[in-house]
Amino acid sequence: MGKCLLNELVHDESHESFEHNLSRALQGEEDKNIELRLKTMGQKEQESVFIVTNAFSCKDNIGNVVGVCFVGQDVTEVRVIMDMFVHLQEDYKAITESINPPIFVADDRMHGALNGMHQWRS
């Protein structure tokens, strides 16, 4: 595509990981399950995609490394859902560990539902 992969497509937070795995693959050491963040083309700068990739060395007939191939899968949707879950988990932890936790008030209509939940847990 005529673009420098590292400078134009790999997101800043993935530069170090990408360079490390590229260097290892050029030495014949292949890595699996590398998570990289890539910039999207033609869209806003802050938007990106996450891929999980494997790095493979391309070798000539006598075994010399002549290139590297990255084969990956887009896991952006999974990453977005996991990030949302982590944020909810952090919010819940902050509420439960707070010095002044919120007070939840239940009226008589809730009493039956709460008793039912208690019996279900037992």
Side-chain angles (χ1 to χ4, degrees):
M1 296 185 323
K3 299 200 180 276
C4 175
L5 183 62
L6 181 61
N7 295 330
E8 296 184 46
L9 297 177
V10 176
H11 197 276
D12 293 343
E13 76 179 38
S14 292
H15 272 213
E16 187 176 323
S17 176
F18 178 78
E19 287 177 325
H20 173 75
N21 290 289
L22 177 61
S23 175
R24 286 178 44 83
L26 288 170
Q27 297 171 13
E29 300 173 21
E30 300 175 343
D31 293 311
K32 296 181 180 179
N33 298 321
I34 307 159
E35 185 172 304
L36 296 175
R37 183 175 178 184
L38 302 178
K39 298 174 187 175
T40 55
M41 297 179 60
Q43 297 182 10
K44 297 176 185 175
E45 180 66 27
Q46 66 264 28
E47 293 184 20
S48 55
V49 294
F50 293 89
I51 62 167
V52 173
T53 185
N54 297 335
F56 300 98
S57 301
C58 300
K59 300 178 181 178
D60 63 12
N61 292 342
I62 57 174
N64 295 322
V65 176
V66 294
V68 175
C69 178
F70 285 88
V71 178
Q73 179 177 0
D74 184 351
V75 294
T76 306
E77 289 182 22
V78 173
R79 178 70 183 259
V80 168
I81 291 170
M82 290 300 294
D83 286 349
M84 288 173 38
F85 177 73
V86 167
H87 288 268
L88 286 173
Q89 223 175 6
E90 291 169 357
D91 291 347
Y92 178 74
K93 184 177 179 181
I95 290 170
T96 58
E97 293 178 356
S98 174
I99 293 172
N100 298 316
I103 299 172
F104 297 98
V105 178
D107 61 16
D108 289 339
R109 293 174 292 180
M110 294 295 293
H111 183 70
L114 293 174
N115 279 339
M117 285 175 55
H118 175 69
Q119 291 171 358
W120 177 74
R121 289 174 147 186
S122 300

